[in-house]
Amino acid sequence: MRAVALAVFLQWAGNNAMLPLLPLDLKGRGGTDAVVGAVMAAYFAAAVVLQYPAGRLADRFGSLPVLLAGQACYAGGALLFLLPVAPAADVAFRALQGAGAGGAEGAARAIGARSVAPERRGPG
């Protein structure tokens, strides 16, 4: 469980490490305020939307494959930032990162739910 918590922590820490510099980079490459806002929002929107389906997939196919797919999706989105493209394309890259983070977190929550005895779980 510690490894899962560390993986999710590092993913969100990596995201938050980009927050101060990404808008400056986008503006420096000609991005408008609207593009900057869309890029910043794309990560969180995709992460929130994908958490529930990822948990369902983890229940169906196992948590580890979903967790690893989420990590791979996040890494793929990060690598796409190396491409010399227009700032508007970064919306898709951040959404891909967010989808990976949401998928990994959904799987991590499924792992956490299975590792806690039912009598120790909260209401829900």
Side-chain angles (χ1 to χ4, degrees), residues 7-109:
V8 172
F9 170 77
L10 289 175
Q11 209 163 37
W12 283 97
N15 165 60
N16 290 332
M18 292 179 66
L19 289 180
L21 298 177
L22 185 57
L24 296 174
D25 175 59
L26 292 168
K27 289 291 240 177
R29 293 189 293 130
T32 64
D33 289 340
V35 169
V36 171
V39 169
M40 300 308 285
Y43 181 92
F44 298 104
V48 167
V49 169
L50 268 286
Q51 283 180 20
Y52 182 74
R56 300 277 301 198
L57 288 172
D59 290 341
R60 184 169 181 169
F61 299 109
S63 298
L64 185 59
V66 176
L67 180 66
L68 293 176
Q71 296 284 8
C73 186
Y74 181 89
L79 289 174
L80 288 172
F81 276 101
L82 296 173
L83 297 175
V85 296
D90 290 346
V91 174
F93 302 162
R94 282 296 278 173
L96 183 61
Q97 280 187 305
E105 186 160 335
R109 289 179 185 207

